[in-house]
Each structure stands twice: as C-alpha cells, then as structure tokens.
Amino acid sequence: MSRSLTSCLSQALALFASCLSVSAAQSSTASLWPLQSYKSSSIQTPFMNVTKMGQTEPGYLFLTPKDVIRGNGYPTIYSDDGQLVWQGSSANYSALQPQMLDGEPVIALWTGYAGKGFGWGHISILNSSYDEIHRVTLNCKEQNFVTGLEPMEFDSCIDIHESQFTDNGTILVTAVNVTQANLSSVGGPKDGWIQDGLVYEIDIKTNEIVFRWSALENLDEVPLSDVYAPLGGSGVNKTDPYGYPHLNAVYKYGDDYLVSSRYMCSVFFIAPNGTLNWHLHGRTGGDFHLGIGASFCYQHDVRFESQTPERVTLSMHNNDNTDFTGATSLTTGLVLDVELQGSKKVTVKSRVWDADEPVYAQSQGSYQVLGNGHTLQDHGATPKIEEYDENGRIVMRARFGYDNTMQTYRVYRYPWVGRPSTKPSVVACPSSKSRKTAVYVSWNGATDVQSWKVLSGSQVKHTAVRNGFETTILVDGLSQKDQVVVEAVGGVIDGVRSESVTIGQGC
Ligand SMILES: *[C@@H]1O[C@H](CO)[C@@H](O)[C@H](O)[C@H]1NC(C)=O
Ligand SMILES: *[C@@H]1O[C@H](CO)[C@@H](O)[C@H](O)[C@H]1NC(C)=O
Ligand SMILES: *[C@@H]1O[C@H](CO)[C@@H](O)[C@H](O)[C@H]1NC(C)=O
Ligand SMILES: *[C@@H]1O[C@H](CO)[C@@H](O)[C@H](O)[C@H]1NC(C)=O
Ligand SMILES: *[C@@H]1O[C@H](CO)[C@@H](O)[C@H](O)[C@H]1NC(C)=O
Ligand SMILES: *[C@@H]1O[C@H](CO)[C@@H](O)[C@H](O)[C@H]1NC(C)=O
Ligand SMILES: *[C@@H]1O[C@H](CO)[C@@H](O)[C@H](O)[C@H]1NC(C)=O
Ligand SMILES: *[C@@H]1O[C@H](CO)[C@@H](O)[C@H](O)[C@H]1NC(C)=O
C-alpha cells in the first residue's frame, strides 16, 4: 500500500488518475480472501486460518461460508487444523446444524431463496453419506403465505433462521408472512405492511404441522412498542414490509417454546396454547429486572444452559449491533441467570470476548455451549470463530475471510463420521523434476481415512499417511500411461478404491 502510494506520488500529474485506478485494483485484489484449491478435485473453499492458544474440545466445525464478493455459498465441514473435510454443492444456505435423528447423526440444512434478512426455502436432512433422506417443507399455498415477491412463487416457506430438532421427531423453524398492520404507534401508516414472525413445529418425516405461533396475532403480549428497529421508511408497501419482529432462534423445553426476537431485543417463553409464560426484554427487562451488565439487544442463538422451576440460565450471541445502529457495541457471548420467581432479577453469569481482536458484529452469529465448560462463538458477517475454555480464556481463533467479504450464519462444533457414497478422487502426474509420479488423492466428506494405498496392476506401490483434504504421494517406478488405483485404509469405509486413472491425465 505505502509502496504504491509512494510510486503514485512520484508519477507525473498527468498519470496520477490512471495510477490511482491501478492502486484501487490492487487493493480490491488484496481484499479477496485466498481460496484453497486442489489437484484431485474442483472444490475451492476459503482458507481457514486457525490459531490455537490452548486445548480445544473434540469435533469438527460445521459452517456455511458465503463468499459475498465472488457470490457463492456452500455447506462445509472443517477440521481444527483448518483443513476442509466436506463441501456440498453451491446454493443459498443458512441454518446448518448436525443433530441426531432416530439415533443416527444427520445434518439439517436450509436451502432456498434468500431475501433481505429472511427467506423462503426447505430444510434438507442429510445422512452421514451426505444424501438427502428427508426434505422438510412448509407449503406456502396451503398456509396462505404472502411473500411480497408475487408473482414469484415458492414451494416451501421456511425461513433461513432455525433448524432445531426436538426429541419427538419434529423440527422447529421460523417463517415470515407479509401482511398488513396498523403502524401508527411506530410512526407508520395505519394500513401499513409488516413481516409477521411465525414459529412452526413440523414433523420431519410427514411435514405435518404440530404447532404454529404468530407474533402479530399476539400483539397484546408482544407489542410494537417493544421493537427496537426504526421504521426507516419501510412498511408503506408489500415489497418493503416493516422488519418486526425478526425471529431468529427457537428451542423446545418440555412442552414450551423458547423464541428469540432480534428487533424486539427479546426472549419469549411460550406455552403450547400460544400464551406467553414470560417475556425477557434485553433493554427494559420485560417481566424481569435487569442487573448490572445484563442488558442485551439484536441477539442470536438463544438457548437454555439449564432450567429449573425457579431459574433459567440463558446463553446467547449478543451482537448488540445491526446495520441501522452501526458497529458501535462490543459483541460478546453472554450467559444470564434469570430468576423466574421472587426477585425476578437477571444477572450476568459469564461474558466472553476476544480482548486482543474484539469484534463489533453487525449481523448473524452463534454461541454454542460445548463440553467441559467450553463455548464456541461465531460472528456472522465478521468471518471469525472463537473457542473459549471454562475460565473464559480464548483457546482458538479461526478466520476464513476479511470482514464483510465472507460470512456464515452460525458455526457448530460436533463430532462426525462421514461415509461418502462417492469414491476417492485421484489425479496422477509425472513430476518434471524427479522420476517420481505425484499422486493426489482426496475424498470429499471422508473423516477417518488413516492412510492411502497406491496400486498399479495388483502391486502396491506405496502407502502414505493421510494428510488433510488432499494427500500428495510421491511414487517411484511408474511410467507414463500406467494406470493407478488408490485405496482408503482405515476408518468406517476402509478398503474403498478410486477409479483407475491414467498417469498424466487431468494434470
Ligand atoms: C493467520 O493468522 C495468524 C495469527 O493471527 C497471522 O499471523 C497470519 O498472518 C495469518 N495468515 C494468513 C495467511 O492470513
Ligand atoms: C439465492 O437467493 C437469491 C436472492 O437473494 C436468488 O436470486 C437465487 O435464485 C437464489 N438461489 C437459489 C439456488 O435459490
Ligand atoms: C444415506 O442415504 C442414502 C440414500 O437413501 C443411502 O443409499 C445410504 O446408504 C445412506 N447412508 C447411510 C450411512 O445410511
Ligand atoms: C398471511 O397473511 C395473510 C393476510 O395478509 C393471511 O390471509 C394468511 O393467512 C397469513 N398466512 C400465515 C401463514 O400466517
Ligand atoms: C391505529 O393505532 C393507533 C395508535 O395505536 C390508534 O390510535 C388508531 O385508532 C388505530 N387505527 C385503526 C384503524 O385501528
Ligand atoms: C415500496 O417502498 C419502498 C420504500 O418506501 C420504495 O423504495 C419502493 O419503490 C416501493 N415499491 C413499490 C412497488 O411501490
Ligand atoms: C411427543 O409426541 C407425542 C405423540 O405425538 C405427544 O403425545 C407428546 O406430547 C409429544 N411430546 C412433546 C414434548 O412434544
Ligand atoms: C394456556 O396455558 C397457560 C400455561 O399452561 C395457562 O396458564 C393459560 O391459562 C392457558 N390459556 C388458555 C387460554 O387456555
């Protein structure tokens, strides 16, 4: 930067304009985050820069990196050494969450049309072979959804924000219905347009709706006066409805529903008959009294850490920022004790942030409670992941993009065993420098291959320890036009072989 500026200044004035445009081009190239690419696969994925300061919990990182500049997104799994494990095909993704279904680990993954802060799509349930075994949909026509994008039509009206299973074979999701409401109390028209926030519980296998709750239908309990998002000229028509209440997290505890509203800075606990059991407001307290530091707003990923009849302990990713507030408040992982009876006091149990590299996150994010008191925080539009230990000390920092160039809605850490239904992918190239052949092998989605065996004819030529997503194996004694096959050794799908490839092809 300083070098190009100096050389700019030394140019004749007539050349100054063109010199500036070169330096602008250089800086935009510099802001493109590097991608990892491979010889044996066409996959490209953001370079994951992991720094560890301590012991992390076991498990892989599940995320949906969206490349804002290059304009594509993928569901991915990474290991803690920054290596890609799996990448799915390119589309709009959100709400990816590994979970258990019928005792088997699966991935729930939202796909669809992403609008401004919400969307319309379905949730795919993938098994450990990354094949879709169920597709959860919410029929837009049957439910009379209005999207504001008519005449465009969608098959399924599940929103981008949630994909949480219950113990009962159902899934909790959010949805947005564009409808009319009296916006006078917030300075809008009395026949204004609004994004109603809905919660659905849906049977995963039959798509039967088990529960529905609408914020707008409960305005007496969750009034517009509790919303902390300015109207900002919205709400006058169907294509720009007011963004109330922006629901972004749902969980079921017993028979009741925990719901997070970003623009209301609120957490609701809703009974099965739709009545509000309680309302915690992050600025005013709602039904509670906020203690020192217990304020929160625009939060994500609210969950109970524990629950008794007297007290709940809540964890959340407290952005405390939005695009209309600007990046002014420090974002933290926040845990609150909420006294449900007596004092109704809300106190801070813990709060974590990365003091060396603080984040002022403007959108999205998650905060997962792991084992051994560890927690995992993701910062959404700031592509940074942090893990903290039981004392709130940072033990891992991972970056996969520059701010606002790459993002992921949430990040989860979970154990996973992948059993890809594909074969290992191989390219074998003669080396120009030595007489060896470089054999490149990868297997998208495989987690536990120990080593790779290179065979030519029936002869084993070499065995090499697996090294990340793609392993490079230098093999002696092969000649141009020979055929090689690579076999996986170890792991749950031990012994699977690649197709036979000809040396020199695809290099
Ligand atoms: C990775 O992160 C470390 C620690 O922040 C930093 O020193 C290093 O330059 C980064 N590497 C790349 C290639 O960005
Ligand atoms: C992704 O969403 C955008 C709108 O934000 C839409 O134009 C595009 O068609 C969507 N892609 C898919 C695969 O649905
Ligand atoms: C995943 O589902 C596919 C399609 O139903 C099936 O062929 C495959 O065996 C399943 N994989 C596992 C590990 O169950
Ligand atoms: C959406 O709003 C329309 C009225 O504008 C209503 O008829 C319809 O039932 C609503 N749909 C849902 C899913 O709430
Ligand atoms: C709209 O709301 C305002 C303020 O709450 C109220 O005074 C007015 O009567 C309402 N108008 C209609 C048509 O409901
Ligand atoms: C809807 O309102 C927005 C903002 O008020 C405006 O920019 C847009 O043009 C309007 N759209 C239509 C179809 O009237
Ligand atoms: C689970 O499903 C059963 C049968 O549909 C139902 O009776 C029960 O209330 C459900 N439990 C919860 C916690 O939703
Ligand atoms: C709904 O359930 C709550 C909590 O169980 C109860 O207090 C309330 O009376 C019920 N409301 C109605 C209208 O049945």
Side-chain angles (χ1 to χ4, degrees):
M1 190 68 181
S2 70
R3 192 170 54 102
S4 70
L5 185 64
T6 317
S7 63
C8 270
L9 291 174
S10 69
Q11 303 281 332
L13 198 61
L15 291 172
F16 196 66
S18 69
C19 182
L20 271 186
S21 74
V22 169
S23 103
Q26 276 168 349
S27 72
S28 82
T29 314
S31 70
L32 270 186
W33 185 259
L35 302 179
Q36 288 178 336
S37 50
Y38 307 96
K39 294 264 198 227
S40 58
S41 166
S42 59
I43 284 174
Q44 288 198 316
T45 189
F47 164 62
M48 179 71 77
N49 190 3
V50 180
T51 311
K52 286 199 183 183
M53 291 73 88
Q55 183 74 39
T56 54
E57 282 297 289
Y60 295 96
L61 299 170
F62 291 73
L63 56 152
T64 52
K66 180 184 173 189
D67 192 323
V68 179
I69 296 179
R70 298 175 182 99
N72 51 24
Y74 301 90
T76 61
I77 304 174
Y78 282 83
S79 57
D80 256 19
D81 53 3
Q83 289 284 336
L84 182 72
V85 170
W86 173 69
Q87 183 188 75
S89 55
S90 169
N92 297 317
Y93 291 105
S94 188
L96 173 152
Q97 194 173 346
Q99 293 170 92
M100 298 296 283
L101 184 66
D102 299 332
E104 296 290 332
V106 297
I107 296 172
L109 175 61
W110 181 92
T111 317
Y113 189 97
K116 223 176 108 195
F118 58 108
W120 304 271
H122 64 262
I123 289 175
S124 296
I125 313 293
L126 311 182
N127 68 9
S128 59
S129 307
Y130 309 95
D131 292 319
E132 185 179 69
I133 53 168
H134 300 292
R135 178 172 290 200
V136 182
T137 58
L138 178 60
N139 193 300
C140 304
K141 277 212 181 89
E142 276 172 27
Q143 289 292 307
N144 300 310
F145 270 96
V146 180
T147 63
L149 295 181
E150 289 80 9
M152 204 188 288
E153 284 187 14
F154 301 98
D155 292 337
S156 175
C157 273
I158 295 176
D159 175 39
I160 58 177
H161 285 102
E162 190 58 274
S163 57
Q164 177 67 54
F165 292 2
T166 69
D167 296 336
N168 240 10
T170 59
I171 186 168
L172 301 164
V173 301
T174 60
V176 172
N177 189 38
V178 175
T179 187
Q180 290 206 271
N182 180 357
L183 296 176
S184 312
S185 63
V186 289
K190 61 180 188 306
D191 54 353
W193 290 91
I194 201 163
Q195 296 169 26
D196 185 15
L198 297 130
V199 171
Y200 281 88
E201 180 178 356
I202 302 171
D203 187 287
I204 293 169
K205 289 171 191 162
T206 64
N207 286 327
E208 185 200 340
I209 296 167
V210 176
F211 176 79
R212 172 186 176 276
W213 181 84
S214 143
L216 199 58
E217 288 167 15
N218 291 281
L219 259 190
D220 50 334
E221 293 183 307
V222 291
L224 285 176
S225 54
D226 278 338
V227 182
Y228 273 57
L231 203 55
S234 70
V236 295
N237 62 36
K238 209 181 181 174
T239 52
D240 190 18
Y242 181 41
Y244 147 98
H246 197 119
L247 305 181
N248 63 9
V250 189
Y251 205 104
K252 196 169 180 186
Y253 295 96
D255 292 334
D256 302 313
Y257 300 85
L258 177 74
V259 178
S260 163
S261 161
R262 172 156 155 89
Y263 288 168
M264 238 187 230
C265 308
S266 287
V267 179
F268 312 128
F269 202 51
I270 300 165
N273 66 11
T275 304
L276 213 55
N277 291 327
W278 51 255
H279 177 187
L280 169 61
H281 195 290
R283 288 286 192 252
T284 67
D287 296 338
F288 301 93
H289 305 292
L290 298 178
I292 294 164
S295 168
F296 62 87
C297 212
Y298 312 120
Q299 76 287 342
H300 284 91
D301 200 17
V302 181
R303 298 288 188 248
F304 284 172
E305 205 183 274
S306 65
Q307 180 194 16
T308 68
E310 294 78 36
R311 172 195 293 171
V312 292
T313 301
L314 284 174
S315 63
M316 68 177 74
H317 171 75
N318 184 26
N319 302 62
D320 225 324
N321 294 304
T322 67
D323 52 356
F324 51 79
T325 59
T328 50
S329 296
L330 177 69
T331 297
T332 63
L334 182 63
V335 179
L336 298 174
D337 280 325
V338 182
E339 300 300 333
L340 300 175
Q341 293 166 9
S343 72
K344 298 257 176 166
K345 196 96 200 240
V346 182
T347 49
V348 176
K349 186 180 177 214
S350 66
R351 182 200 302 281
V352 296
W353 72 95
D354 181 357
D356 293 332
E357 292 179 21
V359 177
Y360 295 75
Q362 284 209 25
S363 72
Q364 309 161 87
S366 57
Y367 189 58
Q368 183 194 3
V369 175
L370 305 170
N372 293 314
H374 281 222
T375 53
L376 188 81
Q377 175 143 262
D378 151 56
H379 287 285
T382 297
K384 180 167 178 252
I385 308 165
E386 299 149 2
E387 183 170 330
Y388 296 89
D389 72 7
E390 67 279 18
N391 300 313
R393 240 174 21 96
I394 190 160
V395 290
M396 187 194 82
R397 192 182 279 142
R399 265 243 174 221
F400 58 96
Y402 301 112
D403 288 4
N404 307 311
T405 68
M406 203 74 80
Q407 62 184 40
T408 183
Y409 172 55
R410 287 179 180 173
V411 179
Y412 288 98
R413 183 191 282 292
Y414 275 105
W416 181 253
V417 178
R419 303 161 189 264
S421 51
T422 56
K423 291 178 173 177
S425 178
V426 175
V427 169
C429 301
S431 166
S432 48
K433 289 185 211 100
S434 69
R435 297 173 62 201
K436 291 182 196 285
T437 301
V439 177
Y440 303 93
V441 57
S442 61
W443 197 5
N444 190 23
T447 46
D448 57 359
V449 173
Q450 301 296 311
S451 53
W452 295 111
K453 200 188 281 180
V454 181
L455 300 105
S456 186
S458 56
Q459 239 191 327
V460 177
K461 290 291 185 183
H462 201 88
T463 298
V465 172
R466 180 201 191 175
N467 180 20
F469 185 78
E470 179 175 79
T471 305
T472 306
I473 310 162
L474 295 175
V475 184
D476 274 322
L478 291 172
S479 48
Q480 195 85 312
K481 306 268 157 58
D482 273 354
Q483 301 262 317
V484 294
V485 165
V486 181
E487 182 180 311
V489 181
V492 289
I493 30 181
D494 175 75
V496 175
R497 290 185 171 189
S498 71
E499 300 288 357
S500 178
V501 300
T502 306
I503 293 172
Q505 256 174 30
C507 294

